[in-house]
Amino acid sequence: MPAPELLKEGGRQMTICNACRYCEGYCAVFPAMEQRRIFTKADLAYLANLCFDCRDCYYACQYAPPHEFGVNIPKLMAELRTETYREFTWPAMLSGLFKRSGLGACLITGAALIVLLFLVLLFMGRDVLLTTHIAAGAFYRVVPYAAMTVPPLIIALYGLTVFLIGAVRFWRETGGGLSTLLDGGALWRATRDAFGLTYMKGGGAGCDYPGASFSQSRRWLHHLVFYGFLLDLASTSVAAFYHHFLAWQAPYPLLSWPVVLGTVGGVGLLIGAGGLLYLKWKSDRDPSAARMLSMDVAFLVLLFLTSLTGLLLLALRETAVMGALLIVHLAMVAGLFITLPYGKFAHVVYRYAALVRYAIEQRRMESGAR
Ligand code: SF4
Ligand code: SF4
């Protein structure tokens, strides 16, 4: 639960903004805020997850530090968001991982690497790591198909369960019955805003990121990460279809769908995650929250290393280093997916839920104005 001081500070800053309203054209946060006179814990959780951290309101604000009002909306929203992630996650005993994302990602990925290496040496023998494998089923001579698919499936189902519980908790807390979620118009509007990153456009000129000048670079890099991730998921799904329904085993030819989708997605992820890391490194720390920053960096580094090792594996799959590279790549994938529910990826779930709520509120406002 957010500290009472943070909730009090949230209410204070929102009340100032509500009187000022200078930033209402930047994003969804301000129009949603204007529908409220007092700011409960649920209101603040909702508003925080509507914020895309574009920072336009910070650099535009006449009351930002060093002004005595000390208004710093991006920092406030980032602090509230991390509390949302911790409060709504499941099980509660793992919520501490949100506080130690970097350490958690390193330890879990390192442990996955050691366990994988140990199991391969134990069951497959040392030679599979030093031999060139080129025929169909080459990867499975290093890590058997069942070992490569069943644990990831369990991890993915676990992650989906955690996110589903979190989304239901968030939706209930922010004042909606589950039946209100079944609103086709609102779901469509929220999906369009999420896929288009509408509120990373600020008022149209983009984010004030990494510093005090407008730029669309953060939005485009985020698009590369998002669509790269989806393309890689599509690649894995097509490969599973080939394996189970066409009895066609990996590795696939360079011009096959799994390789083309995986390569385009991997390159997108590599450029997107690398670019976002660079922007984070250059970014102004004043409007940021330290915990959110470490969560961002841990997630981006894992994405970057996963795509890098995946592309290296593709390039060197017909050489003797394939076995070692496969293990490193699988360890990165394991680290990424095990930490997914307890790190930055949580923003996808809560922000989408907040966008759906905003779409419902907007429609009510629009129909009330007629
Ligand atoms: S962030 Fe500053 S300028 Fe913007 S609405 Fe709030 S008080 Fe006004
Ligand atoms: S940082 Fe950007 S998205 Fe967040 S409240 Fe300010 S203007 Fe809106």
Side-chain angles (χ1 to χ4, degrees), residues 26-27 29-30 50-57 73-74 199:
Y26 283 144
C27 68
V29 173
F30 293 93
L50 269 184
C51 171
F52 279 69
D53 195 26
C54 77
R55 304 186 173 185
D56 290 351
C57 62
I73 301 301
Y199 300 112

Side-chain angles (χ1 to χ4, degrees), residues 137-152:
F139 296 139
Y140 311 130
R141 281 192 275 284
V142 181
V143 179
Y145 182 74
M148 213 189 285
T149 49
V150 176

Side-chain angles (χ1 to χ4, degrees), residues 167-183 186-187 353 356-357 360 364:
V168 170
R169 286 176 171 173
F170 176 83
W171 194 256
R172 287 210 168 116
E173 166 84 10
T174 55
L178 286 183
S179 57
T180 55
L181 254 178
L182 303 174
D183 181 329
L187 288 170
V356 176
R357 175 159 307 297
I360 293 172
R364 270 196 223 126

Side-chain angles (χ1 to χ4, degrees), residues 28 30-32 35 46 189 193 199 355-370:
F30 293 93
Q35 298 307 304
Y46 162 55
R189 191 168 177 167
D193 287 341
Y199 300 112
L355 284 171
V356 176
R357 175 159 307 297
Y358 181 67
I360 293 172
E361 283 189 5
Q362 280 292 96
R363 209 190 32 232
R364 270 196 223 126
M365 273 189 308
E366 284 158 10
S367 58
R370 276 188 216 121

Side-chain angles (χ1 to χ4, degrees), residues 18-337:
N18 220 357
C20 168
R21 301 193 173 187
Y22 178 78
C23 299
E24 63 187 2
Y26 283 144
C27 68
V29 173
F30 293 93
M33 173 201 74
E34 289 169 12
Q35 298 307 304
R36 290 156 172 82
R37 292 294 171 269
I38 52 166
F39 298 93
T40 63
K41 176 169 152 270
D43 291 327
L44 292 171
Y46 162 55
L47 295 173
N49 283 285
L50 269 184
C51 171
F52 279 69
D53 195 26
C54 77
R55 304 186 173 185
D56 290 351
C57 62
Y58 175 75
Y59 292 107
C61 185
Q62 61 272 38
Y63 303 127
H67 190 281
E68 60 187 319
F69 286 0
V71 173
N72 188 340
I73 301 301
K75 182 174 182 175
L76 169 74
M77 294 300 172
E79 284 170 349
L80 286 165
R81 271 197 304 281
T82 54
E83 292 302 322
T84 314
Y85 302 165
R86 274 167 27 81
E87 185 179 354
F88 296 130
T89 197
W90 176 87
M93 66 179 182
L94 293 182
S95 66
L97 282 173
F98 284 108
K99 279 187 179 170
R100 297 174 194 86
S101 296
L103 182 66
C106 287
L107 291 178
I108 289 170
T109 309
L113 184 60
I114 292 167
V115 169
L116 260 167
L117 191 59
F118 175 74
L119 291 177
V120 168
L121 290 174
L122 187 67
F123 292 108
M124 309 303 286
R126 187 168 153 267
D127 288 350
V128 295
L129 293 178
L130 307 168
T131 312
T132 303
H133 310 272
I134 45 174
F139 296 139
Y140 311 130
R141 281 192 275 284
V142 181
V143 179
Y145 182 74
M148 213 189 285
T149 49
V150 176
L153 206 59
I154 293 169
I155 293 168
L157 287 175
Y158 173 78
L160 279 176
T161 308
V162 174
F163 286 135
L164 194 62
I165 292 171
V168 170
R169 286 176 171 173
F170 176 83
W171 194 256
R172 287 210 168 116
E173 166 84 10
T174 55
L178 286 183
S179 57
T180 55
L181 254 178
L182 303 174
D183 181 329
L187 288 170
W188 164 245
R189 191 168 177 167
T191 304
R192 195 192 55 196
D193 287 341
F195 275 71
L197 294 176
T198 306
Y199 300 112
M200 260 194 202
K201 291 178 189 165
C207 301
D208 270 300
Y209 210 100
S213 58
F214 291 116
S215 160
Q216 299 285 356
S217 55
R218 180 164 172 258
R219 183 164 158 261
W220 286 115
L221 290 167
H222 196 293
H223 272 316
L224 284 175
V225 169
F226 182 61
Y227 290 105
F229 192 80
L230 290 185
L231 284 175
D232 280 350
L233 280 186
S235 160
T236 309
S237 307
V238 175
F241 177 82
Y242 282 0
H243 188 96
H244 289 286
F245 295 101
L246 305 180
W248 189 10
Q249 291 193 342
Y252 300 111
L254 288 180
L255 290 180
S256 63
W257 278 110
V259 175
V260 171
L261 291 171
T263 307
V264 175
V267 170
L269 266 176
L270 199 66
I271 298 171
L276 286 174
L277 276 169
Y278 175 73
L279 289 186
K280 293 248 167 269
W281 176 58
K282 299 280 285 179
S283 68
D284 183 355
R285 297 293 188 270
D286 290 340
S288 71
R291 238 189 280 157
M292 182 62 84
L293 189 64
S294 98
M295 219 186 284
D296 289 351
V297 170
F299 180 56
L300 287 170
V301 167
L302 270 180
L303 276 179
F304 183 86
L305 291 177
T306 303
S307 44
L308 180 67
T309 52
L311 290 170
L312 280 174
L313 183 61
L314 172 67
L316 301 172
R317 64 185 181 170
E318 293 185 355
T319 70
V321 296
M322 183 274 271
L325 261 178
L326 179 64
I327 288 173
V328 173
H329 178 60
L330 289 177
M332 294 297 157
V333 174
L336 179 66
F337 278 84

